[in-house]
Amino acid sequence: MVTYNSAAYVADLLDSLPAAAGGLSLRTVVVDNGSTDGTVALVRGRPEVQCIEAGSNLGYAGGINLARRHAGPCASVLVLNPDLVLEAGAITQLAAALRDPAVGVAVPMILDWAGRLELTLRREPSLTRAIGDAVFGHHLPHRPGWLSETVRDERAYRYRHSVDWAGGAAAIVSAACDAAVGPWDERFFLYSEEVDHAARVRAAGFRIEYVPTARIRHREGGSGSSAALIALLAVNRIRYVAKRGRGGGVFRAAVALHELLRAYDPAHRFALRTVLRRSRWSALPGGPGSSS
């Protein structure tokens, strides 16, 4: 787990682990990215948890990599956001999916705090999907897959199947897959690190399996939001596509369209200005000299 000012909710996650992992042996590692709210004291009060203080905010990928280095020998690595609560058997169900050596990563069904489904399944980013999501947003949930990165048809969340990637709040990675893929890319301070990791998982010959019988609750607002984070989300989408060598400039225009059509919101206006002026990118969280 990677924490950052997570004292309000990380205890609930830690409390949920034993029932979620029935029949399994857990070694729990928490990397704290410079919390100032008592998170470290709370975690250090748990003798069964190893707490690593990063000393600064390494970002999500950086925190995951630091935790991996302290995990020791294991059959799999489970990555969790701190603002989750796992239902009974959730980890056991995810670990069972890894018994198939072709499955490198398993991801759960995620529900909000009221029990409503969160649309966490995704398709590989593309120009047409970026344009479709920019223009239609949450509307037309049954539109063709080439017009939406998010899998919006709730029927697809009822059965187990392989996916391109899923939101990074929770995922279990087999030891073989982790060794083959290696560290998470820390150039993605936050957002798109899970997209990049999933692409490398697939390139290494592994599948990413959605397991709906593994259910996890997500606390609304626990991950936080701000204009800077919305801008970082937009910019890291562009960075990911550019890294894959798939026309980052044209994709950047599609991301700008997405922000332009939502520019009535001040946060999206800020994101639009940031997308259009590359000189602003280094000032985002995780940029040079940033301690965000």
Side-chain angles (χ1 to χ4, degrees):
M1 304 171 203
V2 181
T3 55
Y4 179 70
N5 291 333
S6 308
Y9 35 83
V10 70
D12 291 337
L13 172 56
L14 294 172
D15 288 342
S16 74
L17 293 179
L24 300 175
S25 241
L26 287 184
R27 186 162 52 253
T28 305
V29 180
V30 173
V31 167
D32 186 78
N33 267 343
S35 294
T36 58
D37 67 343
T39 298
V40 171
L42 187 156
V43 173
R44 288 204 180 280
R46 303 279 184 135
E48 76 282 8
V49 179
Q50 181 182 9
C51 181
I52 310 296
E53 293 185 66
S56 63
N57 193 343
L58 304 180
Y60 196 50
I64 290 170
N65 287 335
L66 182 54
R68 287 170 64 251
R69 294 196 290 272
H70 285 83
C74 54
S76 56
V77 176
L78 175 66
V79 178
L80 295 171
N81 272 12
D83 56 349
L84 305 172
V85 170
L86 283 62
E87 295 192 2
I91 300 175
T92 307
Q93 292 284 340
L94 291 173
L98 300 183
R99 292 175 189 159
D100 180 348
V103 176
V105 175
V107 295
M109 174 186 287
I110 296 186
L111 309 169
D112 69 13
W113 211 239
R116 295 181 294 262
L117 177 71
E118 292 194 356
L119 303 181
T120 56
L121 303 184
R122 300 287 190 269
R123 303 178 181 94
E124 176 66 12
S126 71
L127 178 61
T128 59
R129 287 170 180 154
I131 293 172
D133 285 334
V135 172
F136 298 113
H138 297 294
H139 302 291
L140 301 178
H142 300 294
R143 63 184 181 264
W146 54 271
L147 276 177
S148 181
E149 186 175 315
T150 300
V151 178
R152 301 184 184 278
D153 187 345
E154 293 192 9
R155 293 172 296 185
Y157 290 80
R158 298 174 188 167
Y159 61 94
R160 177 171 163 169
H161 60 284
S162 296
V163 297
D164 286 348
W165 64 283
I172 193 168
V173 185
S174 73
C177 180
D178 184 65
V181 174
W184 294 54
D185 190 338
E186 297 182 21
R187 289 174 293 180
F188 300 104
F189 178 80
L190 185 66
Y191 307 126
S192 291
E193 74 287 322
E194 75 272 53
V195 194
D196 177 75
H197 185 264
R200 291 188 289 132
V201 166
R202 300 193 309 272
F206 293 94
R207 294 203 320 265
I208 300 169
E209 193 84 349
Y210 168 64
V211 183
T213 52
R215 292 160 54 102
I216 292 179
R217 299 293 181 108
H218 183 210
R219 194 184 299 272
E220 184 69 26
S223 299
S225 184
S226 68
L229 290 181
I230 289 172
L232 182 62
L233 172 62
V235 166
N236 276 357
R237 292 177 65 202
I238 299 165
R239 286 170 168 159
Y240 168 73
V241 169
K243 176 184 174 179
R244 307 301 292 182
R246 296 205 307 263
V250 179
F251 191 85
R252 181 180 174 190
V255 173
L257 174 64
H258 184 281
E259 303 306 328
L260 175 64
L261 295 176
R262 292 153 183 80
Y264 53 84
D265 182 308
H268 286 282
R269 285 201 299 276
F270 177 82
L272 176 62
R273 292 194 298 270
T274 304
V275 166
L276 293 177
R277 292 186 61 184
R278 188 178 290 269
S279 61
R280 292 174 175 258
W281 294 12
S282 62
L284 292 172
S290 174
S291 60
S292 302

